[in-house]
Amino acid sequence: MNIRRLSGTERYFDILIYAVLILWGAFIIFPLLYILMTSFATEKDYLTRGFFIIPREWTWDAYLYLLANDSFTKSFMNAVIITVVGTTISISATTLMAYGLSKKWLKGRNVFNFMVVFTMLFSGGLIPTYLVIKEFGMIDTFWSLWLPGAVAPFYLIVMRSFFSSIPFELEESARVDGCGEWRMFFSIMLPLSKASIATFVLFYMVGYWNTYFSALIYLNDSGMWPLQVFLRQILVLNQSLDESATLMQQEIVYTPGAKMAAIVVSALPMMVIYPFLQKHFNKGMLLGSLKG
C-alpha cells in the first residue's frame, strides 16, 4: 500500500486539527468526569479540595441517599412512564401519518402537508396552548405532555420522504399478491424503515426524558413531576418535591455528592440506550433526508 507523504503545510494543518479536537474533547470530558467523580467523593473531600478528578476517599453514600429518597424514586418512575408511553405514542402517530401522507392518491394530501409545515414554522404560543390543554381537562395529567407534541413536524416530513422514496413497483407487486393496506404497512414498510424508526425513537426518548418546562406548566401535583424537575429542585432551589408543594416547612440540604449523583443517574439511561440505537443513527437520517 502506497502512503502519500504529507507536505510541510499539510502536516501542520493536521497537527492543528488534532490539537483543536483534543482541546474540544477536554472541554467536554472534564466537566462530565468531574461530576462523576464528585458523586463518589465524600463531602469533606469536596469542601477541602474544590476541583479534583480522583477522590481521595470513595463512597456510595450519595447514591444510597438518593435511592432512599422517595421524591427521587417517584420522579424517576414518572420520567420512565412519561418516556416509554410518550415515545410509543409519538413514533406510532408519526409513522402512521407519514405513511398516509406519502400516498399521492390521498385526497387532501396537499392541505395536510401544508398544515404540517405551517405548524412547524408557527405555533399558537404558550397561553393559547395552555388554555386548549385546560379546556380538554389535561392539566395535572401526563396527557398534557404526550398529546400536544405527539408528532414532531420535522420528523414527520423526513419519514414521509422516506416512504415516498420506496419504489412503487414494490407496493404494486405486493398488491398483486393480495396484500392489503395494513399488511403493506406492517409487513413491508415497517421492516424497510427500521433504521429511520430507531433514529426517531431515540430523538423522542431524549425529548421526553428531558421534559422540564412543560411539566412545570401543566403539572401542579408535585407527585407527578419527572426527574428533570427534581433536578431543578435540588440543584437550583435546594429543596425536595414534597416541600415545594407545602411551601417548605423544613429545609433539606442535599450534599454536593447527592446533587452530582442525581445528575449521573438522570443521564445514565440515555447513555445506556444510545449505543444500541447508534448503529441506525446515520443510516436513518440519510434514508429520510435524501429526498427531503
Side-chain angles (χ1 to χ4, degrees):
M1 183 174 64
N2 295 325
I3 300 176
R4 187 173 67 88
R5 296 180 64 85
L6 297 177
S7 64
T9 305
E10 291 175 328
R11 189 178 299 112
Y12 288 128
F13 185 70
D14 284 356
I15 292 173
L16 178 63
I17 290 176
Y18 281 115
V20 170
L21 289 177
I22 291 172
L23 191 62
W24 186 249
F27 274 121
I28 297 173
I29 291 174
F30 273 105
L32 297 176
L33 197 60
Y34 172 70
I35 291 172
L36 179 64
M37 292 297 108
T38 304
S39 69
F40 290 107
T42 61
E43 187 173 3
K44 178 184 175 183
D45 209 6
Y46 175 82
L47 294 175
T48 56
R49 298 177 62 192
F51 181 82
F52 58 87
I53 296 299
I54 305 298
R56 287 173 180 164
E57 299 179 22
W58 293 77
T59 177
W60 290 89
D61 288 350
Y63 292 94
L64 296 176
Y65 175 78
L66 283 180
L67 291 176
N69 188 315
D70 290 338
S71 297
F72 173 78
T73 54
K74 191 186 298 181
S75 63
F76 187 88
M77 289 307 301
N78 289 340
V80 171
I81 294 171
I82 290 170
T83 302
V84 173
V85 178
T87 302
T88 304
I89 292 173
S90 292
I91 199 65
S92 302
T94 301
T95 50
L96 284 169
M97 191 172 176
Y99 178 67
L101 292 179
S102 68
K103 301 302 175 187
K104 295 181 180 177
W105 46 261
L106 179 70
K107 294 182 179 178
R109 175 172 175 263
N110 293 333
V111 175
F112 289 117
N113 283 327
F114 171 77
M115 291 169 65
V116 170
V117 176
F118 186 84
T119 55
M120 185 171 66
L121 300 177
F122 304 99
S123 66
L126 179 61
I127 294 177
T129 305
Y130 179 85
L131 293 176
V132 169
I133 291 174
K134 184 180 178 182
E135 287 299 315
F136 278 95
M138 291 190 292
I139 297 295
D140 277 341
T141 68
F142 287 152
W143 293 108
S144 61
L145 307 180
W146 294 329
L147 292 186
V151 177
F154 177 73
Y155 302 163
L156 173 66
I157 291 172
V158 175
M159 283 293 292
R160 184 198 63 193
S161 300
F162 169 71
F163 286 130
S164 299
S165 67
I166 295 177
F168 179 71
E169 289 76 11
L170 181 63
E171 290 187 43
E172 201 172 35
S173 61
R175 293 188 194 282
V176 170
D177 292 335
C179 188
E181 206 62 58
W182 284 107
R183 189 177 177 189
M184 177 82 71
F185 178 72
F186 286 106
S187 301
I188 296 178
M189 295 300 173
L190 285 188
L192 289 175
S193 57
K194 282 192 298 185
S196 294
I197 291 175
T199 302
F200 293 125
V201 163
L202 178 64
F203 288 168
Y204 277 125
M205 286 181 69
V206 173
Y208 281 113
W209 184 259
N210 291 328
T211 296
Y212 163 70
F213 189 65
S214 300
L216 275 180
I217 295 176
Y218 303 129
L219 300 179
N220 298 316
D221 183 2
S222 61
M224 302 180 68
W225 283 349
L227 190 57
Q228 301 303 325
V229 181
F230 174 82
L231 285 178
R232 172 182 177 270
Q233 298 303 112
I234 68 169
L235 293 176
V236 179
L237 304 181
N238 200 29
Q239 64 188 56
S240 69
L241 296 183
D242 293 335
E243 288 168 342
S244 65
T246 58
L247 298 180
M248 197 168 67
Q249 299 295 323
Q250 180 180 1
E251 187 179 6
I252 295 178
V253 178
Y254 288 89
T255 63
K259 294 178 181 178
M260 298 304 175
I263 296 174
V264 172
V265 173
S266 68
L268 194 61
M270 292 300 109
M271 293 175 69
V272 171
I273 292 173
Y274 180 75
F276 295 99
L277 300 178
Q278 189 269 339
K279 62 181 180 182
H280 302 293
F281 190 79
N282 293 333
K283 184 180 178 184
M285 288 303 293
L286 286 175
L287 282 175
S289 61
L290 284 179
K291 291 184 66 178

